[in-house]
Amino acid sequence: MTTTSSRTQYGPPRHPGEYFRVDPNGPQAHTDPVAVAVRHLVPFIGLRAVLPVPGNPNRQWVFRYESSLKEGKEKGEGELLVKDPDYFLIEVDPGLNGESRIVRNARPLSEWPSLTGLGQLLTFLPIPNMQGKDGASNYWAFHIKNDQLMYRNIEIKHGGGYTDSIKRDDRPVAGDWASLDGIGLITSFMPMPEWEKTGDVNRLRVFSFDPDWKLMVRTIGIKDSSGHEDSLIAPDTPVTGTTWPALDGVTQLGPIVPVVPKPTDPADLFRFNVLHFKPEGKLNQRTIEIKKGASTFTAFVKVATDWTSQALATLVPWMRDLFKKLSEWSKAVANQTTRFFKNLTSSVG
């Protein structure tokens, strides 16, 4: 049996396969169907990253990989097709219940010179003390290329057409980032503004998936210095309902985006929109909050749960059709596999 992608040291499968097949006569058909791998993979082919527009955080670029399933001639055969990535521009009203709207429809990712030659985009991370400096902001773009976790430094000019460029090209994360050693598939970075800076160190939570698709979180620190030295503050721990009540029920985590506060919001309260997928491929958004000085792992309070902003909801309707097709395909494979083992049992008896 072949799958969409084999596991690597960096975590679970992350690439769409060109061809896959479950052989009902194969030894692994009853324990590891390809459909499981595809089902996990789809959210990371779909809505992938959100990047607030520099100098205008109410506007956000949303990056997407749209895919479809082409079934083969035989049951259990199929091809996962992925379109060239694109991006949208949306606008979000400030505050907890801010609605979003699409400002500009899908445009090809090839419009971004800074993302030329990119592999599969995972997420962006604003570079500390490089935001709004000399009329530009710098970011690290993390992606998977040739089965390696890579990152590059990009710059976006403020105002006008927001021209972008590569400041430093791709380098492997391994060896460069002590804080990310051994990490799985990165899904999002979350700043920790509730912590006071000590020694010019910026603390962040990093969410990722381990090889068994368990959602993990670690805490890292990045200095404001020109070298941006990083360190691991707390190693990976599972994200569970007992330690992260605000993320209870979230298994397929997507981007985490800071909420722009209203003038009336308390200064010691920080909110984030958490985008995640339900098992059937439905996109959900919940808003969580944390108070300044609160204890890690217990500070999150569920403010609003499982509502999807209007603009974001229009970006992934194709996923429902894909999941329906995957479900039908998986059922056909399961029936075929069941018949094989029944026949095998009968012949042995």
Side-chain angles (χ1 to χ4, degrees):
M1 180 188 73
T2 58
T3 63
T4 53
S5 158
S6 61
R7 292 178 180 175
T8 71
Q9 60 177 321
Y10 297 104
R14 58 182 76 85
H15 297 297
E18 294 182 355
Y19 189 81
F20 53 83
R21 182 175 187 268
V22 171
D23 181 0
N25 300 315
Q28 293 178 303
H30 63 295
T31 58
D32 189 25
V34 172
V36 173
V38 176
R39 192 176 298 115
H40 280 299
L41 181 65
V42 167
F44 305 101
I45 300 173
L47 178 64
R48 184 52 264 152
V50 176
L51 179 62
V53 176
N56 190 355
N58 287 333
R59 289 196 168 191
Q60 302 165 357
W61 291 300
V62 180
F63 298 83
R64 180 185 70 168
Y65 291 79
E66 188 172 350
S67 64
S68 61
L69 181 66
K70 179 182 178 182
E71 295 181 85
K73 295 180 179 179
E74 299 180 23
K75 290 182 178 179
E77 292 185 343
E79 187 177 4
L80 190 62
L81 306 176
V82 182
K83 296 181 180 180
D84 290 335
D86 56 21
Y87 73 102
F88 293 75
L89 176 63
I90 69 172
E91 187 170 72
V92 183
D93 292 334
L96 177 59
N97 297 315
E99 289 296 317
S100 64
R101 64 191 69 86
I102 294 178
V103 177
R104 193 173 63 206
N105 286 323
R107 305 273 287 268
L109 194 66
S110 56
E111 291 186 351
W112 287 65
S114 64
L115 302 182
T116 300
L118 196 78
Q120 186 177 355
L121 176 65
L122 296 181
T123 188
F124 295 97
L125 175 59
I127 300 179
N129 76 322
M130 294 293 288
Q131 301 303 298
K133 188 175 182 179
D134 299 325
S137 292
N138 280 243
Y139 305 85
W140 288 303
F142 290 82
H143 63 110
I144 301 293
K145 190 173 184 178
N146 299 326
D147 282 333
Q148 274 194 304
L149 180 58
M150 310 288 288
Y151 76 107
R152 64 175 62 175
N153 181 346
I154 70 171
E155 181 181 78
I156 302 175
K157 297 287 187 181
H158 289 211
Y162 292 100
T163 56
D164 63 297
S165 60
I166 297 176
K167 297 299 291 183
R168 191 171 181 183
D169 214 339
D170 290 337
R171 289 165 289 167
V173 168
D176 271 13
W177 288 73
S179 62
L180 301 180
D181 184 44
I183 200 166
L185 179 63
I186 296 176
T187 178
S188 47
F189 289 91
M190 180 180 177
M192 299 174 63
E194 76 275 14
W195 279 82
E196 294 288 353
K197 273 190 183 182
T198 55
D200 292 328
V201 174
N202 304 271
R203 293 192 179 208
L204 301 110
R205 297 180 179 93
V206 189
F207 294 89
S208 65
F209 289 92
D210 72 4
D212 294 317
W213 286 100
K214 184 183 295 182
L215 184 59
M216 311 294 287
V217 62
R218 67 174 63 182
T219 303
I220 69 172
I222 303 175
K223 287 189 175 181
D224 279 339
S225 61
S226 58
H228 293 102
E229 294 93 341
D230 67 299
S231 59
L232 180 65
I233 296 175
D236 283 336
T237 56
V239 177
T240 65
T242 54
T243 57
W244 290 79
L247 297 183
D248 185 33
V250 173
T251 56
Q252 295 177 332
L253 180 65
I256 297 178
V257 187
V259 174
V260 179
K262 289 183 177 180
T264 55
D265 287 341
D268 62 347
L269 191 66
F270 305 97
R271 296 188 178 119
F272 299 87
N273 283 334
V274 178
L275 300 175
H276 63 107
F277 291 86
K278 290 293 187 181
E280 68 276 10
K282 181 182 178 183
L283 174 65
N284 283 261
Q285 177 175 299
R286 65 175 60 175
T287 303
I288 63 176
E289 66 182 19
I290 186 169
K291 290 185 177 181
K292 184 175 181 179
S295 174
T296 309
F297 301 113
T298 59
F300 284 86
V301 179
K302 198 179 299 183
V303 177
T305 182
D306 296 342
W307 59 276
T308 306
S309 190
Q310 184 177 1
L312 295 173
T314 65
L315 305 186
V316 289
W318 55 271
M319 288 186 64
R320 294 173 188 168
D321 293 334
L322 178 59
F323 268 84
K324 181 180 178 182
K325 204 168 188 180
L326 279 171
S327 178
E328 294 172 351
W329 174 79
S330 301
K331 188 175 181 180
V333 173
N335 291 339
Q336 194 176 14
T337 303
T338 301
R339 285 196 298 271
F340 165 72
F341 280 103
K342 283 185 177 178
N343 293 337
L344 179 64
T345 304
S346 299
S347 63
V348 173

